[in-house]
Amino acid sequence: MKNRGWLFVIPALAVLAISAFIPLMTVINYSLHYIFAGSTPTFVGFENYVEVLRDSAFLRALVRQLVFSMGILAVEVPLGICIALCLPKRGPGVAVCLVLLGIPLLIPFNVVGIIARVLTQSAVGVIPEFFALFNYSFNVAKDPVDAFMTIFLLDVWHWTPLVALLCYAGLQAIPDAYYQAARIDGASAWKTFRYVTLPKLRSVLIIGVLLRFMDSFKIYAEPLLLTGGGPGDATTFLSLHVARKAESYNLGYAGASSFIYLFIVIVFSYIFFQLMTHIGKGETK
Amino acid sequence: MARIELEGISHTYDPPSVPETQREYAVSNLDISWPDGSANALLGPSGCGKTTILNIISGLLQPTVGRVLVDGKDVTPLAPRERKIAQVFQFPVVYDSMNVFDNLAFPLRNQKVPEKAIGKKVRETAEILDLEDLLKARITRLNAADKQKISLGRSIIREDTAAVLLDEPLTVIDPKFKGGLRRKLREVQNRLKKTMVYVTHDQHEALTFADNVTIIKDGHLIQQGTPHELHSQPASPFIGYFIGSPGMNLLDCTLQDSALQFSDFHLPVSQEMKNKLGSAGNGLKFGIRPEVVDIATREQAGAVAFTVSVIEYTGAYRVLTCDRESSRIKARVSESIPVTEGDRIWVSFPEEKLNLFFNEKRIV
């Protein structure tokens, strides 16, 4: 090897191999075998994949997951932009706002799940009590909509600040001259937002959308702690479904579904990235 | 197109809570008038208040004191779009998400001009700016000079634009494109006869663009005139030094008997000059342009001996730095005069080309 620079990369590659490459290969290996813990694996080719794709429980979890993640993006991204636009640009208020926005981000997933569980517990929690005032019986253990919406709003509360902070940083980087030019060109507030602010936020929004999509697609701890994926399978998202199969020692099925899961995340992330880097770039309509 | 006037403009960035006596004024007591259709420059060193003045004219800033008039009408309380004053910024401001056509059309669309008229106007403007081939191009593919042209295009596309303000529009342009864009600006002004005010700290840009140059220093107007007037009759030693390359030679002197007495030489003056100087005897400042200093390689009557200490080559001419015991003179001479560093030369100062300043003001 002529370039000794490679030597410096070896430790990082080793860590990457142990943490990502080897597990991934193991998963692929599992996915091609009929394998239950304790028994001798038999090679079955793509049978596990066929089984996963025919499994209605998997497909329901996938649809549920997509609805959830798209909903998260549709709510958190616009809301995050709005919050960022409302934040003060300078002065003592800035620090206060940033700290307040930062607090949810500091709370771990499982703690968030437990807080939600306490708040929504029937007969104890504040939320069922609140809904009782309107004669609505709020019960996450029984009503699928209540459970789904609780997880959804929990995620919005937990992660919208991330989008807001990203956008806030993006907004600060837009030179004043753009706004002055828009004023001189007689642009309305909406047009200024549409043609100055939004295009200038493109790069942070790409990061925001990708992060929120990938993270929301991996949601696990909150539904597990709130209702364990129930009632029924109302909050059994994809990761929860896959984990269940692995817990039941059906490693071949779990391997195949994990791999499909990974594939979906990559494909969707790629689509988002391509869309966002290319739309509205001033090309001829 | 319109006449722009500033009347007694002063501006401070200090909040009103700062007492009157302690306020620092970015610009003070400015009275400037720019005739309709004129090419003007606002020239001054960095931080002299040029951009403040520009923002006051365009309406992005409200002056603390004074009025802005457009064609005699007070527009001080109006918003930028109502004043119909356009501005081109230091770095090119374009709307990234639109193509060149849509960028140029943007101010018209905001005015709800019919789409058909917009198409015609955009093509006309693109033709003036040599952007016809780029109308459908993506903004991100353009270089800074073309972007700056679009920015200029947006400012001239509205028929009712009263004036165009240019805030150091060439600063961030690649040197390769600077010359072309500078000529384009001048050409656009000539063709459209729009009132333009070009703000810069670069005398070369100001003097080549404008017919009428206003010099600002520390927020005060120092002199307004044609490039020729500023060059040949600077109102103060500062302008003499600031305009021209290299700047005017400035030496302290006093008038004694019939001669200007310098620290280490003296220069006889005519009776006529003496009369002009009148009673101002002490504390004079003597100024002469490096281009009009006469250089001889052997002794001449009335010439003063200097030693050439540095020769700078600039191509077509050379700049000599000539020293005596305590005086230093720069002279711009052609290649044909044979001198080398260390040579002794004789310098004479043609009396009709002299400038004499007293109390920072030009008296001769």
Side-chain angles (χ1 to χ4, degrees):
Chain A
M1 239 188 311
K2 276 185 187 156
N3 193 344
R4 272 183 293 168
W6 281 102
L7 292 175
F8 295 97
V9 186
I10 287 174
L13 287 178
V15 171
L16 195 66
I18 294 165
S19 66
F21 189 70
I22 295 173
L24 184 65
M25 284 301 125
T26 314
V27 167
I28 292 174
N29 188 33
Y30 281 172
S31 74
L32 298 175
H33 289 80
Y34 186 72
I35 172 173
F36 273 93
S39 68
T40 322
T42 354
F43 183 80
V44 291
F46 289 102
E47 246 174 58
N48 282 324
Y49 288 87
V50 175
E51 194 197 330
V52 170
L53 292 174
R54 279 192 182 147
D55 180 358
S56 66
F58 176 84
L59 295 177
R60 276 206 309 279
L62 175 61
V63 170
R64 190 175 300 121
Q65 183 66 67
L66 286 173
V67 168
F68 181 77
S69 288
M70 296 302 158
I72 287 293
L73 290 181
V75 172
E76 288 186 6
V77 172
L79 188 61
I81 296 174
C82 287
I83 293 172
L85 287 172
C86 294
L87 291 181
K89 287 221 179 282
R90 53 186 73 83
V94 174
V96 176
C97 291
L98 294 187
V99 169
L100 284 178
L101 280 175
I103 288 173
L105 300 176
L106 294 173
I107 305 176
F109 302 91
N110 47 353
V111 178
V112 170
I114 291 168
I115 292 172
R117 192 167 171 174
V118 172
L119 288 178
T120 56
Q121 196 104 45
S122 56
V124 193
V126 177
I127 294 170
E129 287 299 311
F130 173 77
F131 278 106
L133 294 177
F134 304 98
N135 283 329
Y136 179 80
S137 135
F138 181 94
N139 192 336
V140 288
K142 282 193 183 138
D143 187 333
V145 176
D146 289 355
F148 190 89
M149 287 314 290
T150 303
I151 301 289
F152 189 86
L153 292 176
L154 207 57
D155 196 272
V156 169
W157 167 80
H158 200 176
W159 293 108
T160 305
L162 177 74
V163 182
L165 287 176
L166 280 172
C167 290
Y168 185 68
L171 285 176
Q172 299 285 59
I174 304 176
D176 260 353
Y178 282 90
Y179 290 104
Q180 294 176 345
R183 273 170 75 190
I184 287 167
D185 289 338
S188 59
W190 161 248
K191 279 192 167 182
T192 307
F193 174 75
R194 167 71 185 77
Y195 295 111
V196 176
T197 312
L198 210 51
K200 292 281 165 204
L201 286 183
R202 175 200 296 275
S203 44
V204 292
L205 283 178
I206 290 175
I207 294 171
V209 165
L210 287 179
L211 280 179
R212 285 316 304 133
F213 174 76
M214 292 187 292
D215 273 352
S216 67
F217 218 81
K218 294 188 300 189
I219 190 162
Y220 179 74
E222 293 92 332
L224 182 71
L225 285 160
L226 186 72
T227 58
D233 59 359
T235 56
T236 303
F237 295 104
L238 217 43
S239 59
L240 213 53
H241 175 78
V242 173
R244 284 274 154 73
K245 291 291 177 182
E247 281 161 14
S248 60
Y249 301 108
N250 190 349
L251 296 180
Y253 180 98
S257 54
S258 298
F259 197 70
I260 294 171
Y261 184 20
L262 175 68
F263 184 73
I264 293 169
V265 173
I266 291 172
V267 166
F268 272 91
S269 300
Y270 180 77
I271 292 171
F272 279 127
F273 182 75
Q274 287 299 326
L275 276 180
M276 295 196 60
T277 31
H278 290 299
I279 49 164
K281 269 233 164 158
E283 277 148 307
T284 312
K285 283 158 215 152
Chain B
M1 279 183 268
R3 184 174 83 247
I4 308 290
E5 286 165 292
L6 300 184
E7 253 186 30
I9 294 279
S10 295
H11 187 78
T12 174
Y13 289 101
D14 290 335
S17 58
V18 176
E20 187 68 38
T21 47
Q22 288 169 22
R23 287 192 199 164
E24 274 187 43
Y25 281 88
V27 297
S28 41
N29 265 324
L30 285 179
D31 287 297
I32 310 178
S33 171
W34 288 295
D36 184 13
S38 56
N40 309 284
L42 205 56
L43 177 63
S46 302
C48 74
K50 292 174 308 229
T51 302
T52 305
I53 299 173
L54 217 55
N55 288 342
I56 287 172
I57 303 171
S58 64
L60 294 169
L61 203 62
Q62 279 292 321
T64 318
V65 188
R67 303 197 300 164
V68 181
L69 305 176
V70 174
D71 272 341
K73 197 174 131 251
D74 186 0
V75 297
T76 325
L78 299 185
R81 64 191 293 190
E82 295 162 325
R83 294 186 186 196
K84 305 191 163 61
I85 289 179
Q87 189 163 350
V88 175
F89 294 88
Q90 189 165 354
F91 61 93
V93 174
V94 287
Y95 302 103
D96 293 340
S97 59
M98 304 182 202
N99 65 17
V100 176
F101 185 99
D102 293 337
N103 257 279
L104 291 173
F106 192 61
L108 298 178
R109 287 192 178 138
N110 290 332
Q111 281 186 314
K112 309 253 186 295
V113 173
E115 204 57 31
K116 214 176 148 195
I118 289 178
K120 187 162 163 282
K121 195 72 201 155
V122 167
R123 273 184 291 277
E124 256 174 58
T125 308
E127 190 260 316
I128 296 172
L129 296 168
D130 298 330
L131 290 171
E132 298 117 302
D133 299 338
L134 295 172
L135 278 178
K136 297 281 169 199
R138 215 197 270 182
I139 288 288
T140 39
R141 291 219 187 106
L142 305 182
N143 62 37
D146 284 335
K147 285 185 185 172
Q148 196 61 293
K149 276 196 207 164
I150 293 169
S151 182
L152 175 69
R154 282 205 321 272
S155 70
I156 59 173
I157 199 160
R158 278 158 54 170
E159 300 267 0
D160 60 355
T161 303
V164 180
L165 310 178
L166 305 136
D167 187 1
E168 308 199 5
L170 299 181
T171 312
V172 299
I173 308 298
D174 199 313
K176 196 166 61 174
F177 300 114
K178 246 184 194 163
L181 190 56
R182 196 175 58 229
R183 280 189 295 279
K184 196 81 223 172
L185 290 172
R186 178 70 220 190
E187 186 198 315
V188 168
Q189 204 285 325
N190 266 333
R191 195 161 153 180
L192 301 178
K193 290 283 174 242
K194 288 212 192 255
T195 314
M196 291 197 183
V197 180
Y198 188 117
V199 167
T200 179
H201 55 89
D202 182 326
Q203 45 148 323
H204 181 63
E205 285 177 20
L207 301 182
T208 49
F209 175 81
D211 301 323
N212 174 8
V213 180
T214 307
I215 297 189
I216 306 285
K217 191 194 173 200
D218 302 330
H220 294 274
L221 191 154
I222 314 267
Q223 189 175 8
Q224 192 171 17
T226 63
H228 180 74
E229 280 167 4
L230 296 177
H231 195 264
S232 57
Q233 296 158 31
S236 74
F238 164 76
I239 295 173
Y241 188 74
F242 189 62
I243 300 274
S245 170
M248 184 176 264
N249 291 300
L250 295 166
L251 294 171
D252 290 323
C253 66
T254 54
L255 181 66
Q256 272 176 18
D257 303 327
S258 283
L260 292 172
Q261 195 67 45
F262 295 85
S263 58
D264 53 1
F265 68 97
H266 63 92
L267 210 62
V269 289
S270 64
Q271 187 59 40
E272 196 194 340
M273 175 66 103
K274 231 180 119 179
N275 293 341
K276 278 197 216 162
L277 289 175
S279 59
N282 288 321
L284 287 171
K285 217 168 199 110
F286 164 96
I288 189 155
R289 293 246 163 240
E291 304 86 294
V292 300
V293 172
D294 278 335
I295 299 289
T297 45
R298 47 184 77 118
E299 193 163 358
Q300 280 185 329
V304 185
F306 277 81
T307 307
V308 178
S309 47
V310 179
I311 300 182
E312 290 164 83
Y313 293 88
T314 56
Y317 54 83
R318 287 174 298 173
V319 176
L320 310 184
T321 304
C322 316
D323 284 316
R324 258 179 92 79
E325 292 137 46
S326 60
S327 304
R328 167 172 283 190
I329 288 283
K330 290 202 178 205
R332 214 172 101 167
V333 299
S334 81
E335 288 286 354
S336 57
I337 297 177
V339 282
T340 53
E341 284 178 10
D343 280 2
R344 218 169 146 68
I345 53 161
W346 281 264
V347 179
S348 47
F349 308 100
E351 196 179 275
E352 68 280 9
K353 299 279 174 64
L354 292 188
N355 289 274
L356 281 154
F357 303 98
F358 181 67
N359 263 343
E360 301 292 303
K361 293 243 158 36
R362 182 173 197 272
I363 49 172
V364 174

